[in-house]
Amino acid sequence: ELKRIPFIGPCSAVDFPPLKTVWVFDEQTIYFSNGGSIVHFDGNNFDMDCRMNALLEGAITKIWGMDSNNLYAVGGAGTIVHYDGSSWQRIESGTDLPIQDVWGAMNPRTGNYEVLAVASFGPVNPTAKLLLRIQGTAIIQISGEGLPLGLSSIWFVPDKKYYVVGDGVFYTNNPLRVWQADTTHPLLYKSAIRGNTINDIVITGSFGLVSHYNGVDWRHYSGRELPTFTGTYGSVDYQSSLFVAVGWRGDQAIILHGLRQE
């Protein structure tokens, strides 16, 4: 179903601007951002929140949250802002690198959420990189030894497996240790990674790259079941059996939708 998401209020110059990112908890709790403000959809109504605007150094490009009272939004110029259910707070990241992605998950050993983000210029100008641990409203910079300068996305299961993709695919069982390169992947830029478990992961990227890990090996679908093309799948989500990637092909927006067969 095609919907236009309204940003109608004093902090939006355009009623229906291009969207930068979306985060979904359920059908009644969905957050959209146009890069400068947030719209919450409760299943019936859209409510725009302008309060983060004055806190931003760069445009918001990703949202991740534990629940609707604990949201993080990240983006350009090292921007990180946090929502606690009543107000937004800027978190000093200690960097002006664009923050490309943020991901978190419950650590069963500690009972706390572990939240990590990757900062880099991505494939455009790979001159610096940072791995950030977000603890509440504090930031700890991690060296990311073994990672390249071009980074785009992070996904992990705490205390088991951590993945970072960009100019390659890299993994570790502890983000404080050296990252290892997985050299079995095509030499194409990887834009996004998401998964259900450490045995069920997808990666998307340039020239129509789509790869899936089943716990034994990776299968690369572009050039086989799926065509290669001039463009990229820039973002992906994968939950249960549902897979959706979005991006562009030439001057057209594209959506790839799939279901895993049991």
Side-chain angles (χ1 to χ4, degrees):
E1 181 181 359
L2 184 63
K3 285 185 176 290
R4 300 181 73 195
I5 310 303
F7 283 71
I8 300 173
C11 62
S12 180
V14 182
D15 289 348
F16 299 97
L19 300 178
K20 298 291 186 181
T21 188
V22 57
W23 182 255
V24 180
F25 289 108
D26 53 47
E27 293 181 357
Q28 286 76 44
T29 317
I30 304 175
Y31 294 88
F32 302 91
S33 178
N34 64 348
S37 53
I38 290 279
V39 162
H40 171 237
F41 180 61
D42 65 5
N44 295 300
N45 302 305
F46 295 93
D47 180 33
M48 187 170 72
D49 186 345
C50 298
R51 293 173 295 170
M52 71 158 58
N53 291 49
L55 306 175
L56 303 181
E57 292 291 330
I60 293 301
T61 55
K62 290 290 172 63
I63 303 171
W64 178 87
M66 306 171 196
D67 54 53
S68 57
N69 295 320
N70 207 333
L71 285 174
Y72 292 95
V74 304
T79 294
I80 304 176
V81 291
H82 176 255
Y83 182 65
D84 63 6
S86 60
S87 64
W88 290 94
Q89 178 182 354
R90 177 177 169 175
I91 302 176
E92 296 299 334
S93 65
T95 181
D96 59 1
L97 289 173
I99 299 180
Q100 301 286 346
D101 196 15
V102 59
W103 180 258
M106 173 70 74
N107 188 320
R109 177 177 56 83
T110 64
N112 298 319
Y113 272 91
E114 186 173 351
V115 185
L116 299 175
V118 288
S120 163
F121 288 110
V124 178
N125 182 25
T127 56
K129 57 89 169 40
L130 275 176
L131 185 62
L132 306 175
R133 184 187 297 277
I134 305 174
Q135 294 182 332
T137 57
I139 300 294
I140 299 172
Q141 294 188 1
I142 303 172
S143 69
E145 184 179 355
L147 293 175
L149 297 177
L151 305 176
S152 286
S153 188
I154 185 168
W155 179 86
F156 59 89
V157 175
D159 278 354
K160 290 187 178 180
K161 206 67 170 286
Y162 299 76
Y163 284 94
V164 168
V165 300
D167 191 12
V169 177
F170 301 83
Y171 64 91
T172 183
N173 60 5
N174 185 332
L176 299 178
R177 297 176 182 170
V178 178
W179 293 73
Q180 305 296 319
D182 184 338
T183 58
T184 65
H185 290 259
L187 297 178
L188 299 171
Y189 195 84
K190 288 78 180 174
S191 301
I193 180 169
R194 290 294 184 261
N196 286 312
T197 69
I198 59 173
N199 297 326
D200 192 8
I201 305 168
V202 293
I203 292 175
T204 59
S206 62
F207 294 94
L209 176 70
V210 177
S211 302
H212 176 257
Y213 183 62
N214 63 7
V216 177
D217 53 28
W218 288 91
R219 180 168 182 81
H220 311 295
Y221 288 89
S222 52
R224 295 176 175 177
E225 294 89 346
L226 296 172
T228 59
F229 56 83
T230 302
T232 191
Y233 292 117
S235 189
V236 66
D237 204 0
Y238 184 38
Q239 296 188 27
S240 186
S241 297
L242 176 63
F243 161 91
V244 179
V246 297
W248 58 92
R249 179 176 185 170
D251 60 355
Q252 294 183 325
I254 55 173
I255 300 174
L256 178 66
H257 168 266
L259 289 171
R260 186 184 64 238
Q261 294 182 343
E262 300 295 345

